Structure formats: structure tokens, C-alpha cells
Amino acid sequence: MIVRMGLLTRKPGLSVEEFRNHWRNVHGPLAARLPGLRRYHQNHIVDSRQLAIDHARGTWVIDGISELWFDSIDDMHRAISSEAYREVAQDHVRFVGETGLITAEQNVVVPVNAAAGPLVKRMSILTRKRGLTPEQFKSEWWGFHADAVKKFPNLMGYTQNLVADRSAGLGQPASDEALPIDGMVEMWFRSVADIEAAFRSPAANVSQTHALSFIEEITTFLVETHEVI
């Protein structure tokens, strides 16, 4: 299964509440009709602080991150070639401004513990260290780093999304420089206090020291997730 993610910025002149309302109540039901779509989540940005880590932050300013899961790349391409997608694209420009799109391969390191009750979700955009190849980035991130983060206290879920393709707008190819994202992190905790405690732990010291060797920038957000499908 692969995931298509949109990094969304609300259209100029639109308030945060107007953006969220349109995305949830108008756009969500349209996108839910895409053929072959397995899951669809909207992640509404509620906090853009770096929060608990000391690492260079990127210049990302976004209002939401969409996630659409398909069984394969071919299924995704069929969906975005469909009549249903034309309606989605037409509605997109009514409430979204700048947009970056990525297609990612997922590595579920720690499955989400749904039994833990309501959780706080943290998402982070990663840009690989200058001079590192995508293959080297993947090796460091999915290897040592994944094992280190797995040891965080209070961690209720951890997924790594490795970028395989990127585009700007609704389909124009984008270079690494135009869309400097190599990975998207998803982490779940019971509370913000648990996030802060986890990143003060010995396990975090190990992971954050290692991060300096292969990650140029980490841009973090707290999100509220609306599960459409």
C-alpha cells in the first residue's frame, strides 16, 4: 500500500475556520468517491511549534496534510485520471492555495495503540542532509534511527513515510529543491506532556544525535485528524 500526501495552504483571504470547514464538509466527501481509495485522513494543523526538539526547522507554512491510501501506484494513477478526480481538482482551487504533493512508501515501526484512547498526533517534515543520496537517507532513517525512536517512553505509534515522488500544484513534477521533503514522520502520544517527556529521555538523546548526521531540517506540527475513510 502507498500513500499520497498533500501539503496544503489555505487560499489567501480564507480564514482558518473557513478552510477547515470546506475541507471537512465539502472537499472530503468529494475525495472519498475516488475509485480504489482505501483510506483518507485529513490532518488539520493546530500547533506549528518545534516542540521538544532542538533541530534546524524548515520554512514550511501549511494548514493541513492530507493522506490518501491506495493498494498500488497504478491504482493511484487510475484514481487521479478518473471523472471523480476532476470534481476534486475543481473544488481544490476554491479553498487551497499553494500545494505540494508527495507519494510515499510507509514503514510502520510502532503500530498505533488505538486502545490507549484519544491520542495527540505529531507530524514532521524531514529534509535529508546535503550531500546524502536518497538511498543513504533511507538506510539511516529506516535502520538505526527507527530502532532508536522505537525505545521512546510513552510512544503510542510511529510511522515513517519515505518520499518516492513529488509534485507541485495538482500534478506538475517538482524537484528536490522545489519541494525539499524526503520523509514525513507520524508519531502518536497520549498528551503534549508525554511528547515533551519522551524527547527529554535517554532514547531521544540517541535518536536526536543520530538525526544530526542525516537530517538537514525537521519541521514539526501537531495535528487534529479527521478520518473520512
Side-chain angles (χ1 to χ4, degrees):
M1 189 171 286
I2 58 95
V3 61
R4 175 182 168 99
M5 292 184 168
L7 286 72
L8 311 179
T9 304
R10 70 184 185 273
K11 191 173 183 176
L14 221 58
S15 70
V16 171
E17 286 309 314
E18 287 171 330
F19 169 82
R20 290 180 180 172
N21 180 66
H22 190 104
W23 191 18
R24 181 189 289 254
N25 298 314
V26 179
H27 195 77
L30 289 176
R33 301 206 302 258
L34 291 174
L37 183 63
R38 295 300 185 185
R39 296 167 64 203
Y40 171 34
H41 292 179
Q42 298 175 348
N43 297 287
H44 298 253
I45 306 296
V46 295
D47 191 330
S48 297
R49 291 177 295 165
Q50 198 70 337
L51 193 63
I53 66 168
D54 183 17
H55 201 109
R57 183 181 178 92
T59 57
W60 298 95
V61 178
I62 57 177
D63 295 288
I65 303 169
S66 60
E67 293 181 278
L68 296 91
W69 285 265
F70 298 90
D71 285 335
S72 67
I73 293 287
D74 287 343
D75 283 347
M76 182 188 78
H77 286 314
R78 277 191 287 271
I80 61 180
S81 299
S82 68
E83 184 63 34
Y85 185 75
R86 290 191 184 92
E87 291 187 65
V88 171
Q90 289 168 359
D91 184 66
H92 179 92
V93 298
R94 296 188 180 107
F95 76 108
V96 180
E98 291 187 15
T99 303
L101 293 171
I102 61 171
T103 302
E105 179 185 357
Q106 290 198 309
N107 180 32
V108 179
V109 182
V110 178
V112 178
N113 183 0
L119 299 174
V120 175
K121 184 177 180 181
R122 173 194 180 110
M123 300 184 77
S124 302
I125 297 171
L126 307 184
T127 303
R128 72 180 186 271
K129 198 82 171 173
R130 294 184 183 91
L132 239 59
T133 65
E135 293 75 22
Q136 290 170 323
F137 173 82
K138 177 181 178 180
S139 177
E140 295 295 335
W141 191 29
W142 283 23
F144 182 90
H145 199 77
D147 288 337
V149 173
K150 194 187 302 184
K151 298 172 184 174
F152 276 29
N154 311 315
L155 183 62
M156 296 291 108
Y158 174 42
T159 295
Q160 300 172 321
N161 298 282
L162 181 72
V163 175
D165 193 23
R166 26 171 104 66
S167 60
L170 286 178
Q172 301 83 5
S175 65
D176 293 8
E177 293 76 20
L179 201 62
I181 170 172
D182 295 282
M184 179 76 76
V185 179
E186 298 177 87
M187 302 178 80
W188 290 262
F189 296 86
R190 287 192 179 92
S191 65
V192 171
D194 277 1
I195 294 175
E196 294 172 331
F199 279 91
R200 287 195 300 265
S201 70
N205 289 337
V206 173
S207 73
Q208 295 307 292
T209 299
H210 179 243
L212 294 171
S213 70
F214 76 104
I215 300 174
E216 190 73 31
E217 295 174 342
I218 302 176
T219 308
T220 70
F221 306 95
L222 296 186
V223 303
E224 289 181 357
T225 302
H226 173 53
E227 298 186 6
V228 182
I229 297 177

